[in-house]
Amino acid sequence: MIGTLDAKIPPGPLDQKWRNHRDHSRLVSPTNRRKFEIIIVGSGLAGGSAAATLGELGYGVKCFCYQDSARRAHSIAAQGGINAAKNYQNDGDSVYRLFYDTIKGGDFRSREANVYRLAEVSSNIIDQCVAQGVPFAREYSGLLANRSFGGAQVSRTFYARGQTGQQLLLGCYQALCRQIAAGTVEMFPQTEMLDLVIVDGHAKGIVSRNLVSGKIDKYAADAVVLATGGYGNVFYLSTNARGCNVTATYRAYKKGALFANPCFTQIHPTCIPVSGEHQSKLTLMSESLRNDGRVWVPKRKEDCDKAPDEIPETERDYYLERKYPSYGNLAPRDISSRAAKEVCDEGRGVGPGGRGVYLDLADAIKRLGERTICERYGNLFEIYEKITGENAYKMPMRIYPAIHYTMGGLWVDYNLMSNLPGLYVIGEANFSDHGANRLGASALMQGLADGYFILPYTLPNYLAGQMSKRPSTDHFEFKKTESDVRAKIENLLKINGKRSLDSIHRELGALLWEKCGMLRNKPGLQEALTKIPELRNEFWNNVHVPGDDEDFNQSLERAGRVADFLEFAELMCIDALARDESCGAHFREEHQTSEGEALRDDENFADVFAWEFQGNGKIAEPKLHREPLHFETVHLTQRSYK
Ligand SMILES: Cc1cc2nc3c(=O)[nH]c(=O)nc-3n(C[C@H](O)[C@H](O)[C@H](O)COP(=O)(O)OP(=O)(O)OC[C@H]3O[C@@H](n4cnc5c(N)ncnc54)[C@H](O)[C@@H]3O)c2cc1C
């Protein structure tokens, strides 16, 4: 039974909360640290940085990932950069401004205290990564270079060409390897967590499957940290790596962890448009391109089939610059995505099916030269050419919005602990900092803030009271969880129907995109809520999962993940229906301003929605808990980027 949600926000002025909290948190002495075992599921930037840091502090860490190496976590795909309030550009940035931009960007649906702390520690991240040797871009003078991302009027984004995530992950991976060599971290690659074990109300372990041998194992610990990334792939097509899934967080939800704001999903405006029915993946063209690129469509429908260079300047509609003169092409993602859809719906889209807009770097190439543009974005131009066969130095890119990131995630308090004692959730897997819309370059900042600088302070607070409480894996709860995991696998393998996993997942994704995607409305969400259970029924009666469980079987892996998506999708629609307002990326068509912008209802919905699983293993209507958001520093206003 869950009572009032307590976010455990420390008292005191906003800019002193974190320092005071750290000063008064409990500690674990160096000699006692090695007596504790911590499970970290995930080795992306959040999990990898947490594992390396906790290992360095002397704790015993077991770190799990499903890839063949920690170094292949989805974080490696991050392109554009990482924010920090260093104010190297002397352009007016500050901790407060980064905090304010993030709160406003999230359409006032995140916690002030968490976001302020994020902005505060952002600078430490850059110092840490530079010390690790991350090759951030530099100015001629040798100082670190910056560029801008959406929703900001300053340049605070640090980057390594269009491969920032890869370089940050290499830095983190080196730190992790140091701890593996030192014996503090044990790495379990190709191992998937399939359930969480709760003993006496505390998270005390996991059950996993070795993806090569099929062996099911149980691991006990003093605390469990989930750093398992986002669930964008519930939509089937997204910019996420193919493996990204909701299984770890969803199964923790079924064990009692609250799922917060599951309908807050980010649609990124600059992705390569869908090209056909058989596509399984979408590709991002980083938002950083909007620093130098201008977004436009023809003013007249009749010009849409013409080559772009045949359309004169006077006949082009630079619609972001027109609608949002202050931020122009750097309007936030939710707003830019909807604006792109709007011009395409008007029949002014370009490319096959009219679902595309131009991202044009011609002016910048003229101004700065092709070489400078290549230095800044060379690998993005290469990716674009490989996929489309077009040279974006010679003609504009074509882009369209696509699913990209999930702001929703497991509910956590200020300490990043879920409502289940001992279960911590960090990085994209939690809901903590981005409200209803994440600003570009803030996910890497949050993941690394959580792993390097926040969890190492907040986890000891819990561990200090847990000395000698680690259960044995012979405990009844471990055995029961293991047998539930085995039963689920058996059930998947014996369905032996006719449909492929992909066909069902694709159908789910298309339904969600249509009814719970960029625009949502009540009848559409209700329709989705009748169709999802039908599709789930079809899955459990007619899907075909080949192979067996005692071997490398990627179909079986995927089957478990799709089964979870089929349940989780329903939770997303329930959340979207219950939140009867528009905010950020959650755009309910019933609630818009006269100018077509998201219209919030602060009186009734300035809350985090945190859902509790009901149904004792079966699926029943989840229970809603609300955490009111208190704004003591920021004044709530209608978001404007004009
Ligand atoms: C194409 C692209 C570009 C991006 N560019 C940027 C950018 O420029 N700047 C920015 O700030 N953000 C960017 N983002 C967002 C950012 O990359 C992610 O939000 C961030 O990397 C997530 O990090 P994470 O550590 O939380 O999760 P991930 O990197 O997704 O790592 C998840 C980890 O969990 C493991 N895992 C998951 N489930 C299980 C399980 N059941 N059992 C065992 N292990 C499991 C995985 O193996 C993996 O190790 C981008 C995203 C995309 C898709």
Side-chain angles (χ1 to χ4, degrees), residues 41-48 64-67 70 72-83 149 164-165 191-194 227-230 239-241 244-245 247-248 281 284 286 333 404-405 426-429 438-445 447:
V41 188
S43 62
L45 285 173
F64 296 78
C65 71
Y66 59 70
Q67 288 92 353
R72 293 191 199 278
H74 159 68
S75 289
I76 207 160
Q79 299 175 346
I82 174 167
N83 287 331
F149 263 61
T164 314
T191 308
E192 183 169 26
M193 165 192 160
L194 290 181
T228 49
T239 61
N240 289 192
C244 293
N245 65 82
T247 289
K281 169 90 185 70
L284 177 75
S286 166
R333 294 176 178 174
H404 178 65
Y405 179 88
I426 59 175
E428 194 174 340
R438 174 175 72 81
L439 290 186
S442 288
L444 302 183
M445 172 173 69

Side-chain angles (χ1 to χ4, degrees), residues 272-328:
I272 300 181
V274 177
S275 64
E277 285 274 298
H278 298 288
Q279 204 168 348
S280 58
K281 169 90 185 70
L282 295 176
T283 305
L284 177 75
M285 286 291 103
S286 166
E287 180 166 293
S288 58
L289 288 162
R290 289 199 274 149
N291 275 261
D292 289 307
R294 299 178 70 194
V295 178
W296 64 276
V297 287
K299 281 186 179 162
R300 299 175 330 126
K301 287 182 199 172
E302 303 78 65
D303 286 347
C304 289
D305 291 332
K306 288 186 183 162
D309 60 358
E310 285 170 21
I311 304 171
E313 213 37 52
T314 50
E315 292 304 316
R316 298 177 178 192
D317 179 11
Y318 293 92
Y319 58 89
L320 288 175
E321 297 172 33
R322 170 172 58 79
K323 289 177 77 171
Y324 308 104
S326 310
Y327 285 73

Side-chain angles (χ1 to χ4, degrees), residues 572-583:
M572 285 173 70
C573 294
I574 289 173
D575 186 46
L577 193 59
R579 190 172 280 281
D580 196 12
E581 65 160 353
S582 291
C583 55

